[in-house]
């Protein structure tokens, strides 16, 4: 007989790209919408039924809402173990951007601007997963999300997300996004509107500023793995550039293969046996449909539970990702 093949969470996720816009299917009812990670200003936000999100504006810089992960968002349909990192990267980036844009960054009535931003790039994101994330998250069970504007600079801003269990208020995960306002023609950072900087001027103190995702040096290591991929049309946004969440998927695939081939000293075998403790991503340059990307991963020389990944296009560094895992011996 053929025996049952146990799929890793990331190879399974690779074949679930048909679900990559599931959250926006719930959000948007307008026709022909294509998910955009670069600045979805053309999305018809009037088509969103905000009432289904139980949104509460807590202050001028914070809002809370509910979100539900569906069964198809989870790794392994039989075990429904957890939501893969690439799904978190896609759904939470899209949802928090739309909610924040509608409830925190709306232009004042006297402004002629229809939106606060032009083209928006995500410079970096980080997610930390507590043991409660793996104990409490379940298909169809709502989570409570709080989005708070943490810092607003001249061209960029930082938002912090908290995911909590609504019945116990127990913190499950925290996320940080740094986004940049960009001129669509020059692809260079563009100053934010004066009214927006004034609205959040109380957040500009350097004392309150978070450390955002920073670049790391590419290390040479014998515990390493390589992977390559050509950007498919379904991996891109309406500008034909690679969606930020797909870089996470590419990196996860590289590490999944490396673990299966015993490329690392501790993270070995089926990667679904290792739950993520943290991942962070730094977006360095753009890639687009048809580009060949080369991905190098290696075990961090100071911490064997951590793997670092560099995505390249030729000699250009495109994206960096760091993943830290809970080891199987950890009690979650």
């Amino acid at each position: 007989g053929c025996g049952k093949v146990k799929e890793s969470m990331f190879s399974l996720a690779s074949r679930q790209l048909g679900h990559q816009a599931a959250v926006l299917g719930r959000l948007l009812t307008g026709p022909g919408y294509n998910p955009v990670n670069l600045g979805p200003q053309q999305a018809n936000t009037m088509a969103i039924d905000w009432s289904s999100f139980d949104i509460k504006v807590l202050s001028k810089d914070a809002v809370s809402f509910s979100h539900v992960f569906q069964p198809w968002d989870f790794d392994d349909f039989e075990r429904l173990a957890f939501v893969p990192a690439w799904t978190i990267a896609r759904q939470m980036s899209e949802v928090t951007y739309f909610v924040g844009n509608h409830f925190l960054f709306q232009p004042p009535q006297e402004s002629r601007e229809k939106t606060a931003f032009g083209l928006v790039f995500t410079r970096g994101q980080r997610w930390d997963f507590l043991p409660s994330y793996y104990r409490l998250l379940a298909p169809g069970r709502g989570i409570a999300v709080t989005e708070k504007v943490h810092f607003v600079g001249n061209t960029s801003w930082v938002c912090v997300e908290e995911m909590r269990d609504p019945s116990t208020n127990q913190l499950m995960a925290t996320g940080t996004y740094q986004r940049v306002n960009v001129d669509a023609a020059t692809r260079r950072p563009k100053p934010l509107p004066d009214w927006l900087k004034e609205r959040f001027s109380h957040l500009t103190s350097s004392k309150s500023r978070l450390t955002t995702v920073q670049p790391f040096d590419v290390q040479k290591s014998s515990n390493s793995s390589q992977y390559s991929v050509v950007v498919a049309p379904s991996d891109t946004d309406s500008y034909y550039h690679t969606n930020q969440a797909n870089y996470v998927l590419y990196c996860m695939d590289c590490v999944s293969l490396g673990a299966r081939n015993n490329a690392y000293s501790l993270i070995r075998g089926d990667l679904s046996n290792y739950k993520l403790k943290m991942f962070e991503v730094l977006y360095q340059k753009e890639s687009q449909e048809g580009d060949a990307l080369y991905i190098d991963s290696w075990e961090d020389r100071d911490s064997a539970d951590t793997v670092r990944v560099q995505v390249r296009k030729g000699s250009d560094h495109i994206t960096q990702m760091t993943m830290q895992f809970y080891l199987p011996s950890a009690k979650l």
Side-chain angles (χ1 to χ4, degrees):
C2 286
K4 187 176 180 181
V5 178
K6 183 181 180 183
E7 299 286 356
S8 78
M9 62 183 288
F10 305 119
S11 60
L12 176 65
S14 299
R15 294 194 300 277
Q16 292 178 335
L17 281 174
H19 298 298
Q20 64 184 3
V23 63
L24 288 178
R26 174 180 173 235
L27 279 174
L28 299 173
T29 58
Y33 178 73
N34 187 12
V36 180
N37 67 300
L38 300 178
Q41 66 197 64
Q42 68 271 48
N44 180 13
T45 55
M46 293 299 291
I48 300 176
D49 179 11
W50 296 110
S51 63
S52 64
F53 286 84
D54 190 27
I55 291 175
K56 298 180 177 66
V57 178
L58 307 177
S59 67
K60 67 179 181 180
D61 52 13
V63 63
S64 67
F65 60 93
S66 63
H67 183 66
V68 177
F69 289 104
Q70 302 297 339
W72 51 81
D73 296 323
F74 283 70
D75 167 60
D76 193 330
F77 281 22
E78 294 181 353
R79 293 186 301 158
L80 296 175
F82 45 87
V83 177
W86 77 276
T87 304
I88 293 288
R90 179 176 293 279
Q91 291 198 13
M92 298 314 296
S93 174
E94 303 282 6
V95 173
T96 57
Y97 180 86
F98 274 103
V99 171
N101 206 28
H102 190 81
F103 291 94
L104 299 176
F105 300 119
Q106 278 291 308
Q109 291 184 350
E110 62 272 17
S111 172
R112 295 183 179 180
E113 298 168 314
K114 294 182 179 180
T115 179
F117 312 115
L119 192 63
V120 175
F121 284 180
T122 298
R123 178 189 179 272
Q125 65 171 307
R126 176 185 172 115
W127 280 93
D128 292 89
F129 303 98
L130 282 66
S132 55
Y133 173 82
Y134 297 101
R135 292 198 312 267
L136 299 174
L137 193 63
R141 182 176 181 178
I143 57 171
V145 182
T146 300
E147 177 175 7
K148 181 177 175 59
V149 184
H150 189 83
F151 178 82
V152 174
N154 184 47
T155 61
S156 68
W157 69 102
V158 176
C159 287
V160 176
E161 327 296 337
E162 290 186 350
M163 292 171 49
R164 293 181 180 270
D165 176 61
S167 60
T168 64
N169 201 37
Q170 191 168 354
L171 184 64
M172 301 165 65
T174 59
T176 303
Y177 288 97
Q178 182 182 19
R179 297 181 172 103
V180 184
N181 194 39
V182 174
D183 184 281
T186 65
R187 287 299 206 262
R188 300 298 303 166
K190 176 182 178 181
L192 294 166
D194 290 338
W195 61 260
L196 189 145
K197 288 185 283 188
E198 177 62 28
R199 180 181 296 176
F200 298 104
S201 59
H202 60 292
L203 301 176
T204 57
S205 169
S206 59
K207 293 181 180 180
S208 64
R209 190 167 184 178
L210 284 175
T211 300
T212 53
V213 181
Q214 298 300 314
F216 53 72
D217 293 330
V218 176
Q219 301 172 353
K220 298 293 184 181
S221 172
S222 58
N223 297 321
S224 62
S225 177
Q226 290 74 43
Y227 179 66
S228 62
V229 66
V230 175
V231 178
S234 59
D235 294 346
T236 62
D237 54 41
S238 60
Y239 293 92
Y240 307 107
H241 293 91
T242 310
N243 184 282
Q244 55 86 20
N246 282 303
Y247 289 113
V248 177
L249 181 59
Y250 301 155
C251 293
M252 289 292 190
D253 280 341
C254 180
V255 176
S256 181
L257 290 173
R260 197 180 304 163
N261 294 325
N262 297 325
Y264 321 115
S265 65
L266 285 183
I267 310 301
R268 293 187 162 203
D270 188 343
L271 199 61
S272 65
N273 293 326
Y274 300 88
K275 294 179 171 64
L276 268 175
K277 186 176 184 179
M278 176 276 294
F279 78 83
E280 62 179 21
V281 189
L282 177 70
Y283 302 97
Q284 298 167 299
K285 289 187 178 181
E286 298 176 70
S287 67
Q288 57 188 353
E289 176 184 325
D291 283 344
L293 302 180
Y294 300 91
I295 306 166
D296 301 300
S297 68
W298 62 93
E299 179 182 291
D300 187 87
R301 64 180 58 166
D302 298 319
S303 182
D305 63 354
T306 301
V307 179
R308 297 188 185 273
V309 188
Q310 176 70 64
V311 180
R312 295 178 293 109
K313 184 179 72 173
S315 60
D316 289 338
H317 286 189
I318 302 298
T319 299
Q320 290 184 335
M321 183 172 182
T322 300
M323 286 166 270
Q324 184 180 24
F325 295 88
Y326 288 107
L327 298 180
S329 58
K331 293 183 179 180
L332 299 181

